[in-house]
Amino acid sequence: MDLLSRKATCNSHGQDSSYFLGWEEYEKNPHDVVKNPHGIIQMGLAENQLCFDLLESWLIQNPDAASFKRDGQSIFRELALFQDYHGLSSFKKALADFMSEYRQTRVSFDSNNLVLTAGATSANETLMFCLANPGDAFLLPTPYYPGFDRDLKWRTGVEIVPIKCTSSNGFHITKLALEEAYEQAKKLNLNVKGVLITNPSNPLGTTTTQTELNILFEFISKNKNIHLVSDEIYSGTAFSSSEFISVMEILKTNQLENTDVFKRVHIVYSLSKDLGLPGFRVGAIYSNDKDVISAATKMSSFGLVSSQTQYLLSSLLSDKKFTKNYLRENQRRLKNRQRMLVTGLEAIGIGCLKSNAGLFCWVDMRHLLSSKTFEAEMDLWKKIVYEVKLNISPGSSCHCEEPGWFRVCFANMSEETLKLALKRLKKFVVNGILSRSCQVGESQSLKSSRKKTTTTVSNWVFRLSFHDRDAEER
Amino acid sequence: MSLDKNLLSKLAVGDKHGEDSPYFDGWKAYDNNPFHPEHNPQGVIQMGLAENQLCSDLIKEWIKANPQASICTAEGIDGFSDIAVFQDYHGLKQFRQAIAAFMEKARGGRVRFEEERVVMSGGATGANETLMFCLADRDDAFLVPTPYYAAFDRDLSWRTGVRIIPVECNSSNNFQVTKQALESAYLNAQETGIKIKGLILANPSNPLGTSLDRETLQTLMDFINDKQIHLVCDEIYAATVFAEPRFISVAEMIQEMDHVNRDLIHIVYSLSKDMGLPGFRVGVVYSYNDSVVTCARRMSSFGLVSSQTQSFLAAMLSDQIFVDNFLKEVSKRVAKRHLIFTEGLKEMGVSCLTSNAGLFVLMDLRQMLKDQTFESEMSLWRIIINKVKINISPGSSFHCSEPGWFRVCFANMDEDTLQIALQRMKHFVLRHRENKKRKSFQENLKLSFSSMTYDEHVRTPTLMSPHSPLVRT
C-alpha cells in the first residue's frame, strides 16, 4: 500500500513476535487473585513490583514533592512551563549520584554528560540515530531483549548482527564469537558501528564478567571506529553491588580517560527496573563524547521526561538516606524472590542458568522438548501459555541459538502468585512425564520439519529489518 | 568536533536540526541578560516564546482542591503502584477519554472524537515526527504553506529524511493559502521528480495567528483528495481562538465533506498551548486511518506520556465544570492580551496582521526596513534585540517570503512586563521615525536650500534641545 511509509507497512517493529503475542494472550485472560484465579499469570513482564511500599511511605512523608511545591511555595507554573531539553538540573544531578551509588561510588557521573529521554526505549533508539547511519550494523550478544529489534532498527535503519552465545559456557561472550559476528557483518557488506551489551543481561539475569568486558574493550581498542553501548538498566538489580562492573569503571581502572576509547563508550540507563517506575518514562544516555551529548540532547525533544515527573524524582533521589536504604532492600528482596523461583523449579527437575541479577531467570526446559527444535520450543511454549496458563518468554523471541530456554519473571507478582505459578508448572511437568510415553509417534513427523525450522530461524535473525519480510516467517 | 567524521552518524554531525541558525542569537541574548522587573529591569524581554501563561492560576486552584488527583498525595497514594508500572502504549483509558472529551469541547462540541484513536506522543514535536515516519519514506516530501513554525524543519525532516516543499503565501491576501499556490508547488515538485505524500499546516496558524475559514478548508480538502495525498492538521492552538471566524477543525469538515477519503486525514494536538503545560509533554496523534493509528501507537513507545501525568490529567480533564470554565477563560484572556498589545502598537503607528487566535501577532515593520530585503530584516532584528532589548522572531525564521514581518508573543509574561515592552517599542519606533525624517530632510536639503531655516524647526525635532519631551518618549 503506497499510501503509507514502508516503516508503517513492514513488520520491523517486531511486534508480531511471540514475545508480544504472549502478552496479547495474557491481556485476554489475565490472572487476578479474586476476580480471575484461573487466568494466565504474567511472567513475561520484567517489572519490579517488590518495593512500592518503600516509595509510597517516602511520598507520604514528603508531600511537597508530590504537590508541585518547594519549601511550601508553589512552583507549579515553573514546572508546567519547563520544557528545556537540558532537563531539570536538580534532577540530573540526583540521577547522576544515584547511578554512582549502584556502583558503590567506584565511578562518579557528571550530570552534564547525561541526556534525559522518554525511557530506555527512546535512549537506545536515540543512540542509534547518533552513532550509526541507515544500513550500518551493531553487534549484539544473543540472547537479547526482544524489544531491541524495534528500538535499535525500526526507524533508524540500523541492522543487528548477533554475537552467538551458547549454553556450553553459560552464554558468555567469547572472543571467537565476537570476531565471527564481525566477519559475518563484513560478509553482508555491513559497516559495523558498535557493540551493544545489556549489563546485567536481559534475559540471562547475569552480570557481565571481567573477562567478557576485557574482550569487549580489547575489541574496541583495536577497531577505532567502533562504539560500545552498555545498557545498564538492571544495574540496581544485581544482588550484590560488588558483582556488577560498569563499563565506566573499566575506563577508570584501565586508565583509558585520555584515549580515544573514552569517547566511544556510552551507557543507557532508566528508572523502570531499579525503581520499578516504567510508567514514568525516565531514561538516560550517559556519554563522555560532547558531540554525542549535543546531538542526543537535541533529539530528546522528541521524547522529553515530563517536568512533573522530573521534579518528583529529583526530590526522591536527592534523599540519600532513602536511596541507600532502598538499594539495599531492593537487592535483598530480589535475591529472595529469585531463590524462591529457583528452588521451586529445582524441585520439579527444572534448572536455571546461575544468575546474580535481573528480574527473571533463564530457565532450562530443554529436557521438556519433544525434539531439539524451535518448533518444539513453540509447541511447549503454547502449552505453557494456554494449558498451564503462564505467560513466559520463549528463547527464540530473544534470538537464542539453542531451543528450550525460557525467560521467566519473578518480581512482578506477589509471593502467593509465584507459588501458584510453580504449582501449576509442577502439575504440568508431572502430567507430562506420565503422558510422554504415549507420545512417541508424534516426534517422527517433527523430524522432517526440523531442518526447515533451523534455516527459517537463522534467516529470521538477519531478515527482520528487511521490509518485504513474509508473514509466514513469524 | 570528533577527529573522525565517520565516528558518529551523519545526523549527529550535520546541522539539519536547525539549531545553528542565527535566530538563536535572540535566545542567547535573552539567556545572557533576561529581564526581571526587580533584579534586571534593563534586561531583554522574551517575546519569542509562544507560551500560554495566562491560565495557570485556574489549574493551580484545581490542584489545591483535588489532592486525590495526584498519585503522590495521601489522598491519591492508593493508585501509586498501578500507575507507576503502567507503560501500556495505549495509554490510560481514562486519560484517552478525557483528552477526546477536551478536544471535543475545544471545538464547541461540534465534533466527536473516539478515544481509541487518541495516540500519545512526546508533545506535538513527537506527534509531527511520528506522522512523518508513518506517512512518508526518506526523500518523499510534504507541502507546507509559508510562513510556518520554524521547528517544522527539525520535527518533520531531521531524522525522517522527509523533504519540506514550501507553498508560498503572501500579504496581498493576508497570507491565505490558495489553490493556485498549492497546484503550482505540487506541479513543480512533480516535474523535478519529487514525490509529494501530503500537506501539513497549523490551524490556527503559527506565526500568523489566524484560523482557516470554511472556504479555505474546503479548498485544502478537495486538493488533497484530488491528489490522494495526506492532510495533517496541527491544531495545537485550537482553544486560543477568540474572535471570528470561529475555529473550524478538519474534524468538522470531514463530517460535511464525506466524499473525501478519511484515510488521508490526521490531526496533531497537544496541551502545551491551549493549557499552557509544555513541560508535561502531552502530544496527541489522532488519525482517521486505522493503519496509521496502529503504527503511530507502536511508535509512541519512543515518547509516551508519563503515567503520573496521564493520571493527573485524566482527573482534571474529566471535570466538566473545570474544563468549560477553563476554555472560556483562555479565549477571554488571550483576547484581552491581544487587544492591549495590538492597540498599543496601533498607537505608535505599527500595524499587525489581523488575527483571531494564537499567543502572538505578526507585526508589520516593513516600513522600518532600509530596503525590502532579508538583510535589512536581519539588521532591524538585531537592533530590536540588542538596543530595544526585546527578543522577537523575524519572519525569515518562519520562511516568510516577504521581509519585514516579525512574530511577537504576548501571552508569556505578566501585563506589566507587556506594558514595558510596548514602551520600549514605542520609544524605538518614534526614534526610528524621527531619524528617517531627518535623513530624508537632509537629502532634501541638497535640493531646497532656501527653505531650510523654517523647515528645520518643523521637520527635525532631534535638533531641538535634548531635554525636549518629544525626544524622551
Side-chain angles (χ1 to χ4, degrees):
Chain A
M1 190 194 182
D2 207 30
L3 193 62
L4 305 186
S5 66
R6 284 196 288 271
K7 285 184 181 64
T9 49
C10 70
N11 39 23
S12 297
H13 49 73
Q15 290 193 215
D16 303 319
S17 99
S18 50
Y19 177 75
F20 294 101
L21 291 174
W23 278 46
E24 278 172 29
E25 285 312 307
Y26 163 77
E27 296 291 332
K28 290 182 203 158
N29 181 20
H31 168 264
D32 181 285
V33 157
V34 171
K35 293 183 243 175
N36 190 17
H38 300 292
I40 298 179
I41 296 176
Q42 175 63 290
M43 301 187 92
L45 190 49
E47 261 174 22
N48 182 357
Q49 294 193 20
L50 303 189
C51 290
F52 281 129
D53 57 315
L54 301 178
L55 290 167
E56 282 160 4
S57 74
W58 186 91
L59 287 167
I60 301 275
Q61 287 160 36
N62 292 272
D64 267 13
S67 46
F68 303 106
K69 287 208 189 99
R70 187 195 290 138
D71 302 324
Q73 295 299 316
S74 171
I75 51 163
F76 169 74
R77 179 185 271 215
E78 200 182 303
L79 285 177
L81 297 171
F82 186 83
Q83 56 173 330
D84 181 352
Y85 59 23
H86 293 101
L88 215 58
S89 62
S90 55
F91 174 52
K92 280 179 34 177
K93 177 107 209 341
L95 184 61
D97 288 346
F98 187 66
M99 286 167 72
S100 160
E101 239 178 287
Y102 275 138
R103 292 151 185 81
Q104 290 179 324
T105 62
R106 293 190 296 268
V107 194
S108 73
F109 290 91
D110 180 352
S111 62
N112 292 317
N113 291 351
L114 263 180
V115 179
L116 299 175
T117 61
T121 299
S122 179
N124 280 313
E125 190 197 44
T126 297
L127 262 181
M128 290 304 105
F129 272 126
C130 291
L131 303 179
N133 296 312
D136 286 344
F138 256 74
L139 309 179
L140 262 69
T142 62
Y144 63 75
Y145 163 55
F148 277 155
D149 292 321
R150 171 196 63 192
D151 302 349
L152 305 181
K153 296 174 14 167
W154 189 21
R155 307 190 307 179
T156 61
V158 170
E159 301 288 347
I160 292 178
V161 175
I163 301 168
K164 298 175 189 179
C165 303
T166 66
S167 59
S168 60
N169 72 339
F171 294 95
H172 286 140
I173 300 167
T174 62
K175 190 165 173 197
L176 183 63
L178 180 54
E179 280 165 3
E180 275 177 3
Y182 187 66
E183 288 308 310
Q184 179 63 16
K186 284 228 289 254
K187 262 201 217 120
L188 296 167
N189 258 322
L190 299 170
N191 182 28
V192 176
K193 284 318 292 282
V195 179
L196 188 146
I197 61 168
T198 308
N199 173 27
S201 161
N202 174 10
L204 302 177
T206 53
T207 52
T208 309
T209 62
Q210 182 72 62
T211 310
E212 290 172 293
L213 288 166
N214 289 342
I215 291 170
L216 291 165
F217 271 81
E218 199 192 303
F219 181 72
I220 64 168
S221 297
K222 203 173 73 184
N223 296 288
K224 301 271 176 225
N225 260 0
I226 292 186
H227 297 269
L228 175 61
V229 176
S230 180
D231 185 335
E232 301 189 349
I233 69 170
Y234 290 99
S235 48
T237 69
F239 306 152
S240 156
S241 302
S242 55
E243 288 178 26
F244 167 65
I245 310 169
S246 167
V247 290
M248 288 296 151
E249 217 179 309
I250 302 285
L251 285 175
K252 199 171 163 191
T253 47
N254 292 6
Q255 294 175 321
L256 296 169
E257 285 99 330
N258 293 319
T259 68
D260 58 276
V261 171
F262 189 64
K263 296 209 294 185
R264 290 189 278 119
V265 176
H266 323 275
I267 288 181
V268 164
Y269 189 58
S270 158
L271 296 180
S272 302
K273 311 297 179 183
D274 291 350
L275 276 191
L277 304 172
F280 289 6
R281 314 314 302 146
V282 181
I285 293 170
Y286 188 89
S287 174
N288 297 308
D289 184 333
K290 271 198 328 290
D291 295 326
V292 171
I293 294 296
S294 171
T297 301
K298 294 177 171 95
M299 288 190 187
S300 68
S301 300
F302 299 109
L304 297 172
V305 179
S306 169
S307 57
Q308 178 190 26
T309 302
Q310 287 190 55
Y311 182 66
L312 170 70
L313 294 174
S314 77
S315 296
L316 182 82
L317 298 184
S318 300
D319 186 342
K320 302 285 193 234
K321 196 159 150 237
F322 168 79
T323 56
K324 269 195 166 58
N325 179 54
Y326 182 92
L327 167 61
R328 206 179 40 234
E329 256 312 288
N330 187 39
Q331 287 173 324
R332 193 184 68 82
R333 295 182 192 188
L334 285 172
K335 191 173 177 182
N336 286 347
R337 220 21 121 72
Q338 184 250 29
R339 213 61 320 269
M340 226 178 107
L341 176 63
V342 169
T343 46
L345 289 172
E346 254 167 31
I348 34 180
I350 298 177
C352 299
L353 181 73
K354 188 161 191 295
S355 66
N356 63 343
L359 308 173
F360 33 72
C361 286
W362 189 235
V363 179
D364 185 356
M365 296 201 200
R366 288 177 291 176
H367 60 295
L368 296 176
L369 294 183
S370 53
S371 63
K372 280 207 184 81
T373 63
F374 284 106
E375 208 175 70
E377 182 184 276
M378 274 296 114
D379 283 343
L380 176 59
W381 176 69
K382 282 185 186 135
K383 286 204 182 85
I384 295 177
V385 172
Y386 295 112
E387 290 173 25
V388 188
K389 301 242 177 61
L390 303 178
N391 179 35
I392 62 178
S393 312
S396 50
S397 69
C398 303
H399 304 281
C400 188
E401 282 293 297
E402 308 161 30
W405 293 87
F406 291 79
R407 189 192 77 168
V408 182
C409 300
F410 55 70
N412 63 307
M413 69 210 43
S414 67
E415 257 187 45
E416 288 69 37
T417 307
L418 183 58
K419 286 184 182 140
L420 174 62
L422 285 166
K423 213 164 117 190
R424 287 184 187 179
L425 197 54
K426 183 175 181 181
K427 196 167 159 196
F428 168 73
V429 169
V430 164
N431 286 347
I433 291 169
L434 292 174
S435 66
R436 200 162 296 150
S437 47
C438 311
Q439 284 173 10
V440 172
E442 250 180 71
S443 64
Q444 312 287 3
S445 56
L446 284 169
K447 275 188 192 148
S448 56
S449 52
R450 191 183 305 164
K451 207 174 174 187
K452 180 183 167 207
T453 311
T454 324
T455 329
T456 308
V457 169
S458 61
N459 281 351
W460 187 45
V461 173
F462 294 100
R463 290 179 61 180
L464 275 168
S465 61
F466 288 95
H467 304 300
D468 58 353
R469 188 176 143 215
D470 292 335
E472 315 157 358
E473 282 175 76
R474 277 180 226 167
Chain B
M1 226 6 171
S2 301
L3 284 169
D4 184 350
K5 283 210 183 74
N6 294 323
L7 188 62
L8 305 185
S9 67
K10 293 196 181 93
L11 279 180
V13 305
D15 59 359
K16 292 221 167 75
H17 46 70
E19 293 189 31
D20 293 332
S21 91
Y23 312 119
F24 285 88
D25 289 349
W27 283 71
K28 288 178 197 149
Y30 169 75
D31 284 337
N32 291 336
N33 184 19
F35 169 83
H36 187 278
E38 280 107 50
H39 308 311
N40 191 18
Q42 302 305 321
V44 176
I45 299 178
Q46 175 64 286
M47 300 187 90
L49 190 51
E51 263 178 8
N52 181 357
Q53 291 191 21
L54 306 181
C55 293
S56 55
D57 59 310
L58 299 174
I59 301 179
K60 263 160 70 173
E61 260 170 48
W62 190 91
I63 291 173
K64 261 200 217 136
N66 293 272
Q68 77 290 350
S70 166
I71 46 169
C72 307
T73 56
E75 294 87 341
I77 197 99
D78 283 344
F80 179 81
S81 47
D82 283 339
I83 296 294
V85 299
F86 187 83
Q87 58 172 331
D88 180 346
Y89 62 22
H90 290 86
L92 281 175
K93 196 179 166 84
Q94 318 88 282
F95 172 71
R96 273 180 290 137
Q97 282 170 338
I99 290 283
F102 185 79
M103 285 171 72
E104 285 173 5
K105 282 195 186 274
R107 288 152 185 77
R110 292 180 292 272
V111 291
R112 265 236 60 231
F113 286 109
E114 298 165 63
E115 43 107 342
E116 303 89 31
R117 289 190 181 280
V118 172
V119 173
M120 294 180 287
S121 60
T125 301
N128 281 315
E129 191 197 44
T130 294
L131 272 173
M132 290 304 107
F133 272 127
C134 291
L135 306 177
D137 292 317
R138 186 160 283 277
D139 295 329
D140 284 345
F142 256 74
L143 298 171
V144 191
T146 68
Y148 62 80
Y149 167 53
F152 269 168
D153 290 323
R154 173 196 63 190
D155 300 350
L156 307 179
S157 301
W158 188 25
R159 305 191 307 181
T160 62
V162 170
R163 287 199 250 202
I164 290 181
I165 305 285
V167 178
E168 263 186 36
C169 304
N170 56 63
S171 59
S172 64
N173 70 339
N174 292 327
F175 296 100
Q176 283 176 8
V177 61
T178 63
K179 180 164 191 238
Q180 192 187 23
L182 288 168
E183 293 284 354
S184 162
Y186 187 81
L187 195 62
N188 283 339
Q190 276 207 313
E191 279 169 3
T192 48
I194 296 173
K195 191 164 159 207
I196 302 277
K197 286 312 288 283
L199 166 66
I200 179 167
L201 77 174
N203 175 33
S205 159
N206 173 11
L208 303 176
T210 53
S211 66
L212 295 173
D213 58 31
R214 181 165 258 104
E215 207 180 89
T216 310
L217 277 162
Q218 277 168 348
T219 304
L220 295 175
M221 301 273 282
D222 280 330
F223 173 76
I224 57 106
N225 195 48
D226 175 54
K227 309 277 186 276
Q228 283 295 293
I229 60 175
H230 294 281
L231 176 61
V232 178
C233 273
D234 184 334
E235 299 188 346
I236 68 172
Y237 289 98
T240 66
V241 175
F242 57 83
E244 289 294 310
R246 65 156 179 80
F247 180 61
I248 307 172
S249 164
V250 69
E252 215 180 308
M253 297 308 294
I254 282 185
Q255 283 166 181
E256 292 175 19
M257 300 173 76
D258 53 10
H259 62 281
V260 172
N261 180 1
R262 286 189 173 214
D263 278 345
L264 302 172
I265 312 292
H266 323 275
I267 297 176
V268 163
Y269 192 57
S270 158
L271 298 183
S272 302
K273 309 296 177 181
D274 286 352
M275 292 206 81
L277 302 173
F280 289 10
R281 314 316 302 148
V282 182
V284 175
V285 171
Y286 189 95
S287 174
Y288 290 90
N289 182 320
D290 292 345
S291 305
V292 174
V293 171
T294 304
C295 183
R297 189 180 285 135
R298 287 181 175 142
M299 289 188 180
S300 69
S301 298
F302 300 109
L304 294 173
V305 177
S306 166
S307 56
Q308 178 194 14
T309 302
Q310 285 187 54
S311 163
F312 165 72
L313 289 171
M316 189 168 76
L317 300 183
S318 304
D319 184 340
Q320 311 265 24
I321 299 173
F322 167 80
V323 171
D324 286 337
N325 182 53
F326 185 89
L327 288 172
K328 200 173 75 219
E329 283 299 312
V330 168
S331 171
K332 206 165 104 189
R333 296 179 191 190
V334 171
K336 184 172 173 211
R337 270 303 168 90
H338 177 269
L339 188 67
I340 292 174
F341 194 61
T342 49
E343 290 292 296
L345 288 175
K346 209 158 119 189
E347 270 172 33
M348 52 179 111
V350 173
S351 65
C352 300
L353 184 75
T354 306
S355 60
N356 67 327
L359 308 172
F360 35 72
V361 286
L362 200 63
M363 199 166 60
D364 184 355
L365 296 185
R366 287 176 294 176
Q367 305 292 352
M368 294 180 76
L369 295 185
K370 200 168 87 183
D371 49 42
Q372 299 302 309
T373 62
F374 287 108
E375 287 77 30
S376 295
E377 183 183 274
M378 287 304 270
S379 304
L380 178 58
W381 178 62
R382 292 220 150 85
I383 293 172
I384 294 177
I385 293 189
N386 297 316
K387 299 262 161 65
V388 189
K389 301 235 178 65
I390 300 178
N391 180 32
I392 63 178
S393 314
S396 47
S397 67
F398 296 94
H399 304 276
C400 190
S401 53
E402 301 167 27
W405 296 89
F406 292 80
R407 188 193 77 170
V408 190
C409 300
F410 55 66
N412 62 307
M413 76 270 305
D414 58 38
E415 246 183 69
D416 292 336
T417 308
L418 189 66
Q419 292 294 356
I420 294 173
L422 278 168
Q423 285 306 307
R424 289 185 188 181
M425 271 303 289
K426 196 167 178 184
H427 180 88
F428 169 68
V429 168
L430 291 179
R431 271 285 285 275
H432 189 274
R433 206 164 281 151
E434 284 161 17
N435 284 342
K436 212 172 166 185
K437 277 194 193 136
R438 181 165 58 109
K439 227 179 170 180
S440 94
F441 169 74
Q442 281 172 345
E443 275 159 21
N444 287 342
L445 252 184
K446 297 172 191 159
L447 307 167
S448 161
F449 187 82
S450 55
S451 58
M452 185 184 76
T453 319
Y454 174 70
D455 286 346
E456 219 178 310
H457 290 292
V458 172
R459 288 187 217 168
T460 58
T462 48
L463 290 179
M464 284 187 207
S465 142
H467 300 297
S468 157
L470 241 135
V471 173
R472 253 205 300 265
T473 54

